[in-house]
Amino acid sequence: MKNIAVIGYGVVGGGITTVIEENCAKIRAAVGDDVCVKYILDLRDFPDSPYADRVVHTIDPILADDSVELVCETMGGSHPAFEYSVACMKAGKSVVTSNKEVVATFGVELLECARENGVMYMFEASVGGGIPVIRGINTALAGDRISSVNGILNGTTNYILTKMKTENRTFDDVLAEAQVLGYAERDPSADIDGIDAKRKIMILTALASGKLVSDTDVFTETLRNVTVEDIRAAEKWGGAVKLIAGSVIADDGIQAHVCPMFVPWSCSLAHITDVYNGISITSPVTGDVMFYGRGAGRLPTAGAVVADVCAVLSGAAKAERIPVFEKAEGSVKLFDEIGFRCYIRANSGRSELCEALAAYCEGTEVLSDEAGVVEVITGKLTKPETDKIRAQFAGIESVIRVLD
Ligand code: HSE
């Protein structure tokens, strides 16, 4: 019997016991033994749960029990998740987590702690829920240099954009519905302001490049300002508006960003709808690889945690390429230096806008010019340039970058 503990018995933590129960024969075959959830750490009691007798309210009994080989951390947040994970690893227990905040913030320290203590720290469920993208980067693409990652990494915002498009509804209206359905949090900022996607692209970029950029290095733009008019313009242009978390890994530095973008139909990401996630990875040898699936939800995310549990307890994880990354200090390229084509909509004369744009870029194309509203796709512009153009034209209603 292999004993494990679950710390944080919320949506994902609760899903872990369900997956272990429902798939016990498959898990026994993968691990070579039965897996038993011996402790559940939570502030609450669960008197009606079959696991009521396993609930503890401090980490101490878990740390003191040498029969517990592994701890699933599904608490969320940085603290005390970080301190508990370190304490468990120092006590000789491997840790697997779904907590993107703690991995994005303390991934370097946590992986180092695992190495120092001869245990594993695994985090497949922290990005893309049930999509095995982390294992894909670490193992299947281990021999290639990844040059870029682009993903739809937040299910809530993709659901909002899908409903805005198919039902012609405003952002606020669909957000309210997403909150009722339980997709978006009551405080939806982490989803709609790009914070959740930022943490996930930080993790994928660290795995792809070996460098963990800091939170403040990732340019992050909210989805709140995207309108149905923007979505219709993208359709007219030949694509869809998506919240894209992207990174470019080049010899002159790493650059990561999260922003709404026009994505052409020729890119698979444009076709990903509802709460689904997708990640497109480009590398010189392999070319483009696409990952797709349920990026959130109780069972898909718990399933990814349990897959890590099986990998650790069976010994398979030790044979995989163990992720190693360091802080990206000095290797970061500023977002301000990167040019993107942009969609611009303005209440201004076509010639006025095109003349002004000609001072900054070549190749602006007019998408439409009707009833005093002009829509263009510009040549490449940097953020400082779009800021200047916005300052020059009071009538600019929208600026959205293009994913090329
Ligand atoms: N709020 C996140 C999302 C949950 O909507 O994708 C999964 O990290």
Side-chain angles (χ1 to χ4, degrees), residues 124-162:
E124 180 64 68
S126 67
V127 182
I131 307 171
V133 61
I134 290 183
R135 192 158 279 118
I137 293 177
N138 264 346
T139 57
L141 297 172
D144 210 350
R145 286 176 296 113
I146 292 171
S147 52
S148 70
V149 180
N150 282 297
I152 293 172
L153 298 178
N154 183 266
T156 304
T157 43
N158 208 42
Y159 173 83
I160 293 173
L161 286 168
T162 304

Side-chain angles (χ1 to χ4, degrees), residues 100 126 153-157 183 185 191 196 200 277 295-297:
K100 59 239 158 195
S126 67
L153 298 178
N154 183 266
T156 304
T157 43
Y183 293 150
E185 305 291 329
D191 290 316
D196 176 74
K200 293 169 179 169
N277 281 193

